Amino acid sequence: MELEEDLLRVTFPVGLHVLSSAILPGGFSMADALLNWKVPLDYGGGDPLSQLRSRCQLAGEDPARTIGFMTAAKLTHASIQERDGDQCKLVCCTTAGTRNAARAGYGRETYSAYDPGTINIAIFIDGRMTESAMAGAIITATEAKSAVLQELGIKEWGTERLATGTTTDAIAVCVSQRGSATHAYAGVATTIGCAIGEAVFQAVWEAVATQSEA
């Protein structure tokens, strides 16, 4: 893991199987690196996919094999949590800004999808998981993120409702697919799901709680 002026770079020793909501490339993919690119607070959107591809090339990474995040949050306040689990090891890296916090499930006046903010969660797992378990890991991680925001009292932009996330959150679950045992589930009652939930909770808590610090 390497922090540059406007980039948090994670390179993988082996290609990882990834399920992500990142726009680059999104969905299931194989990746050799993950880039979390810091954009200005007044970032206006435009063509983020092309911009991310260009930033990957500038960083010397193959856009076809790179997970690309964007954020207006401070990269220096990224939180990294590690867990040794049952037939797996995992690392969670989170950056967080909550200026565009929102609560899912309520109608609202919509606004730009690129307002400053974003909680980016990257989970790296040395272990073996089914694709459905990887999707389950995203559910578990999202529940943990929402629990943090409610415990910290983060409120939706423009209302007094407790937030469940921000309007631009992204997540990636990156798995080595090595090991003798395959995790078929990743809910909170499973050993791997519990480890994911704990790591995400602590990482989001630290990243959100310190975001206003210098």
Side-chain angles (χ1 to χ4, degrees):
M1 192 172 296
E2 182 180 358
L3 178 62
E4 301 171 21
E5 183 177 354
D6 68 341
L7 202 67
L8 184 61
R9 182 202 307 254
V10 184
T11 53
F12 313 145
V14 297
L16 298 186
H17 297 249
V18 180
L19 174 58
S20 84
S21 64
I23 60 172
L24 181 70
F28 284 101
S29 64
M30 291 293 297
D32 301 314
L34 182 147
L35 302 183
N36 196 351
W37 177 32
K38 179 173 173 34
V39 297
L41 287 174
D42 60 354
Y43 174 70
D47 187 355
L49 181 55
S50 294
Q51 292 167 1
L52 268 171
R53 286 174 175 156
S54 296
R55 188 64 184 87
C56 286
Q57 292 171 337
L58 183 63
E61 303 292 349
D62 180 0
R65 299 273 300 186
T66 303
I67 307 302
F69 284 160
M70 302 173 76
T71 185
K74 298 174 182 176
L75 298 180
T76 52
H77 291 246
S79 176
I80 300 169
Q81 299 290 325
E82 301 181 41
R83 294 292 186 279
D84 285 331
D86 175 18
Q87 297 292 319
C88 72
K89 293 184 178 182
L90 66 92
V91 175
C92 177
C93 178
T94 295
T95 57
T98 57
R99 293 179 59 181
N100 57 334
R103 184 174 182 85
Y106 288 84
R108 66 176 56 82
E109 180 181 356
T110 58
Y111 50 97
S112 172
Y114 299 104
D115 278 356
T118 304
I119 298 173
N120 285 338
I121 299 172
I123 305 167
F124 308 100
I125 298 170
D126 189 11
R128 188 178 296 277
M129 302 178 75
T130 63
E131 289 187 348
S132 58
M134 293 170 68
I138 289 179
I139 294 174
T140 297
T142 302
E143 291 173 351
K145 173 196 69 178
S146 297
V148 169
L149 297 183
Q150 297 194 37
E151 290 198 21
L152 288 176
I154 304 298
K155 294 182 179 179
E156 181 180 49
W157 178 84
T159 79
E160 290 301 305
R161 302 187 188 110
L162 290 173
T164 55
T166 84
T167 59
T168 51
D169 291 347
I171 188 169
V173 176
C174 314
V175 184
S176 69
Q177 299 297 14
R178 302 186 300 193
S180 57
T182 299
H183 296 275
Y185 308 96
V188 293
T190 65
T191 52
I192 191 170
C194 186
I196 290 168
E198 289 178 355
V200 171
F201 187 95
Q202 292 299 323
V204 174
W205 183 289
E206 184 174 57
V208 171
T210 63
Q211 67 177 307
S212 61
E213 295 178 0

